[in-house]
């Protein structure tokens, strides 16, 4: 004898399929929302870093012919202390000598990390997630 298919059995089957679809959709939307949020937070962080780098690079203290290192250090120390999520500020001259670093012991030392090639970037600014001499 074959199995008898009842209306109640069909309803249970539809209910199970609907529950599986609803749970799958909720999981998919939750994961997608989290990934999108992470992407936009990363873009926001990178833009913040670009803005800080541009502000420092265009600062009259740096662009003057003779830069007083004591004034530069005081200015950048206060800037770093007031900015959230900025751990290290490092200013390196074209001769690879650090004009400023958050760790004052590194000022006037030779930068031994990877020097970015700004001539490859049309905007002149970019953010990278890399590990340098001071860490990530």
């Amino acid at each position: 004898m074959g199995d008898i298919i009842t209306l109640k059995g069909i309803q249970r089957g539809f209910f199970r399929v609907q529950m599986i679809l609803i749970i799958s959709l909720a999981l998919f939307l939750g994961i997608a929302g989290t990934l999108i949020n992470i992407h936009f937070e990363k873009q926001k962080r990178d833009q913040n870093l670009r803005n800080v780098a541009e502000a420092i690079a265009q600062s009259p203290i740096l662009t003057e012919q003779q830069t007083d290192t004591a004034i530069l250090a005081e200015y950048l120390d206060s800037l770093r202390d007031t900015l959230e999520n900025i751990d290290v500020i490092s200013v390196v001259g074209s001769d690879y000598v650090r004009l400023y670093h958050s760790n004052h012991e590194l000022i006037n030392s030779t930068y031994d990390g990877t020097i970015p090639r700004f001539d490859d970037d049309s905007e002149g600014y970019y953010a990278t997630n890399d590990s340098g001499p001071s860490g990530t």
Side-chain angles (χ1 to χ4, degrees):
M1 273 185 154
D3 290 332
I4 299 175
I5 299 176
T6 64
L7 183 59
K8 194 168 197 156
I10 293 173
Q11 287 175 336
R12 279 191 203 135
F14 279 141
F15 179 74
R16 285 185 190 131
V17 169
Q18 285 176 334
M19 288 303 294
I20 290 171
L21 289 174
I22 289 171
I23 291 170
S24 299
L25 181 62
L27 286 172
F28 173 76
L29 290 175
I31 292 170
T34 301
L35 292 175
I36 289 169
N37 189 34
I38 289 171
H39 173 74
F40 283 117
E41 285 297 319
K42 183 180 176 199
Q43 278 186 328
K44 195 167 118 179
R45 181 201 64 211
D46 290 348
Q47 185 61 48
N48 184 37
L49 290 173
R50 280 189 196 101
N51 291 343
V52 170
E54 186 173 358
I56 291 172
Q58 293 180 359
S59 170
I61 294 173
L62 262 179
T63 58
E64 292 174 359
Q65 195 69 4
Q66 294 294 323
T67 302
D68 185 345
T69 55
I71 293 173
L72 178 65
E74 184 179 331
Y75 167 68
L76 294 176
D77 283 341
S78 68
L79 184 64
R80 188 199 65 221
D81 291 342
T82 59
L83 295 172
E84 292 183 25
N85 302 322
I86 303 288
D87 299 322
V88 175
I89 295 175
S90 181
V91 178
V92 180
S94 59
D95 58 355
Y96 306 131
V97 174
R98 289 182 179 98
L99 300 173
Y100 172 81
H101 195 282
S102 300
N103 176 357
H104 288 209
E105 293 175 7
L106 295 175
I107 295 175
N108 293 323
S109 66
T110 302
Y111 179 74
D112 53 357
T114 304
I115 300 293
R117 297 193 57 200
F118 290 109
D119 56 344
D120 290 346
D121 186 25
S122 61
E123 291 180 40
Y125 298 96
Y126 66 93
T128 182
N129 189 9
D130 201 358
S131 204
S134 300
T136 303

